[in-house]
Amino acid sequence: MPWSRLARQWLSELLAVVFPHHCTACRAAIAPGDGGLCLACSRQLLDLLDVDYCRRCGQDVGPYALRSGRDGATQVCGQCDDQPLRYRALVRVGPYAEPMEGLIKRFKYGGQQHLGRLLADWMATRLSAQPWIGSVSALTPVPLHWRRRLGRGFNQSQLLAGAIGRRLGIEVRDALTRPVHRPPQASLPRSRRFENVRGVFAVPDPARVIGRTFCLIDDVCTTGATLSEAARTLRNAGAADVYAAVVTVAQPPPPYAGLHSI
């Protein structure tokens, strides 16, 4: 082995000891070249990706819980076909659980915007397998109000949409704005979230929406209220159809959570 190559190998091994690489999700020390995730997080991630889910509300479902929705094509659970969700179908990477939860938090709040490329790559893989993706005219990131964007410094949905669009060769179009400021959805109980986002979006240029099919892009879906309101706004402006894609879907709390047995 040439000396220069051997020296580089020794230097790499020394740096791995002195400055070890860390798991992107849990921050545990890992060896260089392990792909960014420790073994435990990799196993957790694979388990999350295998969980089946409703193609409309995005909630986890059992192996026999899906049936055809009203459109005859979308596979839905027994709970959501009557919910006021205005998008036709939803694609997700996995449920909002570790290690996905930690990745999203570091992406949005930890100054690690480079993680958006990883999350977007997973989303693009899921989207590319959908039978309807060929009908999508443009990807549309869910917009933030200017106050929220100023505080965060960026719109995470816009970063995800840009990376997905480049990989899949689909136009990214800012078809929506968010001129109305309301309390964050995360600060409200689930029962108030549809009401909280009512009327917050606008379509500044309806001519770029009429007759086209859009796929909304966001990071986390909890009740579907924000995505549904965005889809409603696009449809009212003349969009032909609206789909949605997210990184994760938060699961509802279990029945009677927080109650103590007597």
Side-chain angles (χ1 to χ4, degrees), residues 71-127:
D71 62 5
T74 306
Q75 291 295 105
V76 302
C77 67
Q79 304 296 319
C80 80
D81 210 18
D82 293 327
Q83 290 186 21
L85 301 177
R86 299 296 299 275
Y87 49 86
R88 183 177 296 276
L90 178 142
V91 176
R92 74 173 202 190
V93 177
Y96 189 66
E98 295 297 352
M100 209 88 74
E101 180 179 348
L103 291 173
I104 288 179
K105 286 179 178 177
R106 273 187 279 282
F107 168 50
K108 289 175 68 172
Y109 311 119
Q112 298 186 37
Q113 294 182 29
H114 65 278
L115 292 177
R117 294 192 296 271
L118 175 65
L119 300 174
D121 191 56
W122 292 340
M123 292 178 72
T125 299
R126 291 290 206 196
L127 277 169

Side-chain angles (χ1 to χ4, degrees), residues 7-52:
R8 285 197 298 270
Q9 179 181 328
W10 286 350
L11 178 59
S12 176
E13 292 173 355
L14 175 63
L15 289 174
V17 174
V18 180
F19 303 105
H21 289 232
H22 292 87
C23 173
T24 305
C26 72
R27 309 306 294 163
I30 60 174
D34 275 1
L37 293 176
C38 67
L39 182 59
C41 286
S42 295
R43 287 173 174 168
Q44 283 182 298
L45 180 61
L46 289 174
D47 288 342
L48 291 183
L49 298 182
D50 281 342
V51 175
D52 206 353

Side-chain angles (χ1 to χ4, degrees), residues 123-259:
M123 292 178 72
T125 299
R126 291 290 206 196
L127 277 169
S128 65
Q130 303 309 308
W132 46 260
I133 192 62
S135 68
V136 171
S137 310
L139 307 177
T140 295
V142 174
L144 295 176
H145 187 269
W146 67 265
R147 293 184 188 175
R148 185 75 52 77
R149 178 163 185 158
L150 184 63
R152 185 171 298 162
F154 66 99
N155 179 0
Q156 72 279 357
S157 300
Q158 196 166 44
L159 293 183
L160 291 170
I164 296 168
R166 286 189 293 274
R167 175 171 164 184
L168 298 183
I170 301 176
E171 176 190 356
V172 177
R173 183 177 300 178
D174 293 321
L176 293 167
T177 59
R178 193 167 187 157
V180 179
H181 181 63
R182 297 273 174 78
Q185 291 285 83
S187 67
L188 300 172
R190 299 172 71 94
S191 60
R192 288 189 53 200
R193 294 188 179 188
F194 279 89
E195 175 189 353
N196 186 57
V197 293
R198 185 75 173 179
V200 300
F201 297 112
V203 175
D205 188 358
R208 302 186 69 203
V209 169
I210 295 174
R212 292 173 172 83
T213 295
F214 294 89
C215 180
L216 294 163
I217 303 295
D218 208 353
D219 59 332
V220 180
C221 171
T222 302
T223 60
T226 300
L227 289 170
S228 185
E229 180 62 17
R232 187 187 73 84
T233 305
L234 288 170
R235 286 179 178 275
N236 286 350
D241 215 341
V242 183
Y243 296 90
V246 297
V247 183
T248 66
V249 175
Q251 304 302 300
Y256 312 113
L259 297 180

